[in-house]
Amino acid sequence: MAAAGVLFPDGQGRVLVVRLPYDRKHPVAIPGGGWEPADLSPRRTAVREIAEELGFTPRLGPLACIDWTMDDFRPPIAAHLYWAEPLTPGQVSAFTPDSAEVGGWAWLTPEQAGHALPPRLSRRVGACLRVPRSAGPLELEDSLPAGHTLDHLVAEPPVDYTRLAGVALTGGADRPIPENAGPPLDRATYIATRPRIRAKARTLFTDRDGRVLLVRLRPWDGPGGEEPYWVLPGGGIEADRELPRAAARREVREELGWECEPGRLLALDWLPGRDADPASRRDTAVLVYLFDGGTVTEEQSASAVLAEDELVELRFCGPEEAQRLLSPESWARTSAALAARHRPGGPAELVGGRAAERPERPQAR
């Protein structure tokens, strides 16, 4: 599944949280919610959710983090957190919350938020608040630092989870959560009705001349199956079984016979499904993690053993040849990843291979 939340900071280093009027177990959250198939991207999900929950259209800044979390009782969730421009007092006073979704809100310090938010969300938000924004977007797995995030943050012991204790709410604080409060749907029903995405983990390898390693898929039955089809090494992340880095490691081992530890996460590319983009041939959205595989030596290249049931050829390609062989989306993603190699910070946020758009300034609602 996929979800998106928004970090609204104020001038005092605090962050906005909301109270969920239907949940006694986890009553405090960050504004946001689940992706819907008509959303063109998680960024659009975040904007839509804030408009529905709080009654205004936020202006989002950069992606703060991507967090892939697993659980024994639900599918994995690819959780996106976005920074927003600070809200003015006038904007806050003009909140028109959906009473079924928001039962109050508060500004919490990082320490207060750490105690009030559920443990996974607490770690996710805490990481974004502690690390300089220039290091973002952060890469997290199960809300713990991964990849380049480990250069800025180490996993810390969990803090006491106090929920609403000590939190002073406004806008509905006088309405207690009923004793029998619970989400509108029971857990199993809710999970069963949520839309799913697919996810892939690919790896960018280059040789010492900077040429990109591409692999050609074995022809398959169906439209276009006899045409040469080239991709970067990698494939699907196995839902409920592995995290993205483990998937990248496994795919390289299975396809090329190499034991490689994925490097930096260079790009995070959201490919919309046909419900959001009628021109798309995908039945649902696909999220692509693109990791840096580094420079391949001549010895390593010679040791490659192709997966006979999947691949028929590998080739190192210069930019012009790679652009000709790859699909437009794949080349755009590869080009963005090559550029990301030469700058610090986290992955490029892409939609269909292109830089994710920033919403225009909000209009009065």
Side-chain angles (χ1 to χ4, degrees):
M1 300 190 291
V6 180
L7 295 171
F8 290 101
D10 70 359
Q12 302 177 45
R14 300 178 302 178
V15 65
L16 181 72
V17 301
V18 294
R19 184 186 71 158
L20 306 180
Y22 53 79
D23 197 339
R24 291 187 63 85
K25 184 177 181 181
H26 302 303
V28 183
I30 294 295
W35 166 80
E36 297 292 344
D39 296 337
L40 190 64
S41 67
R43 184 174 285 270
R44 296 285 185 89
T45 296
V47 171
R48 174 184 55 76
E49 284 286 336
I50 300 307
E52 292 173 358
E53 291 181 1
L54 295 173
F56 75 99
T57 302
R59 181 170 174 81
L60 300 186
L63 179 66
C65 78
I66 174 67
D67 184 11
W68 182 284
T69 67
M70 297 180 68
D71 192 293
D72 292 337
F73 304 103
R74 59 154 173 77
I77 296 179
H80 301 68
L81 269 185
Y82 291 91
W83 287 109
E85 290 187 350
L87 298 176
T88 66
Q91 288 174 310
V92 176
S93 65
F95 280 178
T96 55
D98 178 347
S99 60
E101 297 282 342
V102 175
W105 56 86
W107 295 95
L108 301 185
T109 66
E111 181 179 359
Q112 290 172 324
H115 292 289
L117 295 169
R120 273 204 184 102
L121 182 56
S122 171
R123 295 198 303 265
R124 187 182 309 151
V125 171
C128 296
L129 295 178
R130 293 199 302 275
V131 175
R133 292 197 196 182
S134 59
L138 303 182
E139 180 193 352
L140 306 175
E141 291 189 337
D142 271 336
S143 303
L144 298 172
H148 82 287
T149 308
L150 288 167
D151 296 335
H152 306 275
L153 195 68
V154 296
E156 297 182 345
V159 298
D160 292 336
Y161 182 27
T162 60
R163 299 171 175 82
L164 284 168
V167 175
L169 293 166
T170 57
D174 58 336
R175 296 195 297 273
I177 300 177
E179 287 293 334
N180 62 348
L185 298 175
D186 67 85
R187 183 184 178 92
T189 302
Y190 175 77
I191 290 173
T193 57
R194 294 305 302 155
R196 305 292 201 268
I197 67 169
R198 282 191 285 274
K200 296 180 181 293
R202 297 200 178 276
T203 303
L204 175 68
F205 293 102
T206 52
D207 65 8
R208 63 183 182 181
D209 296 321
R211 297 179 301 169
V212 177
L213 174 63
L214 303 182
V215 293
R216 183 161 69 90
L217 301 184
R218 181 168 294 282
W220 62 88
D221 294 333
E226 294 303 318
E227 300 173 8
Y229 193 85
W230 293 85
V231 294
L232 295 178
I237 300 173
E238 295 184 354
D240 304 329
R241 295 185 183 181
E242 60 187 357
L243 296 166
R245 284 185 166 270
R249 191 183 307 114
R250 174 185 55 76
E251 285 286 340
V252 169
R253 181 176 62 251
E254 292 177 354
E255 292 188 348
L256 301 174
W258 296 342
E259 290 292 344
C260 296
E261 187 63 29
R264 282 178 55 207
L265 178 60
L266 297 176
L268 195 69
D269 193 8
W270 183 273
L271 309 178
R274 66 173 64 99
D275 286 335
D277 178 7
S280 173
R281 292 182 295 177
R282 291 175 287 269
D283 60 348
T284 190
V286 177
L287 177 61
V288 181
Y289 278 70
L290 181 47
F291 294 97
D292 193 351
T295 302
V296 178
T297 65
E298 293 181 3
E299 293 77 13
Q300 184 181 8
S301 179
S303 71
V305 179
L306 296 184
E308 294 184 356
D309 58 336
E310 295 186 43
L311 307 177
V312 294
E313 183 181 356
L314 67 78
R315 185 186 302 180
F316 285 96
C317 303
E320 291 185 2
E321 185 179 17
Q323 184 174 9
R324 178 173 57 83
L325 293 178
L326 294 172
S327 70
E329 282 180 341
S330 184
W331 166 247
R333 181 189 317 130
T334 301
S335 180
L338 287 168
R341 269 184 165 182
H342 302 290
R343 58 166 176 75
E349 182 197 2
L350 309 174
V351 176
R354 310 294 179 181
E357 89 289 356
R358 301 283 179 86
E360 297 299 322
R361 289 208 171 268
Q363 303 295 319
R365 191 178 176 195

